[in-house]
Amino acid sequence: MLSSTVDRLRCPACGESVTLNANHSLPSHGNDSGVIEVRSGRLTCHDCDQSYPILAGVAVLIEDVGSYLVHHVKGISRLVPDSDIPKAFRRDYLQAKAEIGSEHIEEDLEAERVTALYLMNHYLSVGIGARNPAGLSDWWKPAAGESSPLVDDLIRSYWDRGPLTQMTDWLVSRSKKQKIESVVELGCGVGGLALRLSPFIRTYLGVDSSFASIALARHLSLGLPYDRPIRVPADLIAGSVSREVRIPAPPLFDGRIDFVVGDIESLPLAPESYDASVALNAIDMMDDPARLPELQAQLVVPGGVVAQSCPYVWSEAVSARLRESLPKSVKDSATAVERLYENAGLEIRERISHLPWLFYKHARQLEIYSVHLFLADKNS
Ligand SMILES: C[S@@+](CC[C@H](N)C(=O)[O-])C[C@H]1O[C@@H](n2cnc3c(N)ncnc32)[C@H](O)[C@@H]1O
Ligand SMILES: [Zn+2]
């Protein structure tokens, strides 16, 4: 965690500010920001004395730290030595570590293959440029054998024009008309929106409950250490993630951008502190989707901007609850979610009903979602 981030964080249990205690840190290098990267240590609440560990640079601002460490052991144990786990939680953590299953499931956001799919989505692009240096060109083609003309065509047509690009375009165009200097992103995953926005904004903070995703976000967007090779899928005969990619990390961290582990339902953030709040493809993972627009609205200042996108892959239980809570006249997911945002006092200004969003599963499989996205205003 960067030393400059501490002022933006709050205790998720009681909402008070927190103090930073560093055990091991890296000094700033090559710039004069004075910002320090804390690799291990803790944050302690000023009021309720709860403390939150910083592990491999990742601040874990979750109310029930012990339960978090057990449930996210797969991602944590790939990067954090056992000796860094706080003593009070170490026994349960080590027991959970001994029981880790080797196979991945598609929903397990601590699994290496799952975060690999997201990091491709966020950090690899088709056009040669800053995010796609020559060494990574044609990353979607298998190293051996013929490649698929259809996969090639779909990637070239849609890969670089997904929700991250559209949200960036909207926010940048808005920033020409109103102040959009500070952005918070809920469910930021591996954090690829931050670098896209960084030339246009002053600060960005990303929050996600996946430890593996936040560690990757901090490496790929801030250039902070990551002690493992980064691998993505190619041909599954070679394994589930067989191609090592070297994604150039930006040279410096200067304190403008950071990412922390937190839960959307119990945010470690102060209200009315941001010009824009963004949540991409996260609302369908929440038990109570109506909470997301309320929380996004609370985070922004009056007159601030709220952005949302999603393919609405609801679980059966959540869709049943949504149908129950909304008028019978609401019959589709996009209308339902727009209604939730309007109910939270937000006014939708820009929308796209269907935007293709591609996931590269391997050289012979693409997953295509059709995403609904919009930008809304919180009235002043
Ligand atoms: C479908 S992924 C989308 C990631 C990224 N926003 C994108 O569009 O590529 C949903 C993300 O939300 C995160 N998430 C889900 N529920 C969460 C919660 N309650 N608190 C924080 N993050 C959550 C997941 O860990 C995951 O990274
Ligand atoms: Zn507290």
Side-chain angles (χ1 to χ4, degrees), residues 316-346:
E316 195 50 42
V318 171
S319 63
R321 252 176 275 138
L322 265 180
R323 286 196 297 274
E324 195 126 308
S325 65
L326 289 164
K328 292 274 173 287
S329 58
V330 175
K331 294 194 190 306
D332 69 283
S333 292
T335 309
V337 170
E338 288 194 12
R339 190 63 67 89
L340 298 181
Y341 277 74
E342 285 156 7
N343 290 349
L346 299 161

Side-chain angles (χ1 to χ4, degrees), residues 109 118 122 187-189 208-210 262-264 280-282 285 357:
L109 282 140
Y118 282 101
H122 285 216
C188 63
D208 198 286
S209 54
S210 158
D263 188 333
I264 294 175
L280 304 183
N281 314 309
M285 298 185 91
W357 187 33

Side-chain angles (χ1 to χ4, degrees), residues 88-131:
F89 309 122
R90 205 177 294 160
R91 206 171 61 111
D92 289 350
Y93 172 85
L94 290 176
Q95 192 178 334
K97 186 176 166 187
E99 290 165 8
I100 293 176
S102 61
E103 90 280 54
H104 73 272
I105 52 163
E106 291 294 308
E107 295 81 39
D108 183 355
L109 282 140
E110 300 295 355
E112 184 183 7
R113 180 171 154 85
V114 178
T115 52
L117 303 185
Y118 282 101
L119 84 83
M120 297 180 91
N121 196 274
H122 285 216
Y123 292 94
L124 300 186
S125 65
V126 171
I128 302 286
R131 291 206 319 283

Side-chain angles (χ1 to χ4, degrees), residues 27 170 200 220 238 248 289:
W170 271 344
F200 311 100
L220 295 168

Side-chain angles (χ1 to χ4, degrees), residues 27-65:
S28 55
H29 51 95
N31 69 14
D32 55 8
S33 65
V35 171
I36 286 167
E37 157 72 351
V38 178
R39 298 301 290 172
S40 70
R42 65 182 191 282
L43 293 156
T44 307
C45 175
H46 281 157
D47 196 48
C48 73
D49 269 357
Q50 260 260 42
S51 92
Y52 305 96
I54 300 166
L55 305 167
V58 175
V60 177
L61 285 135
I62 298 276
E63 261 189 88
D64 187 344
V65 173

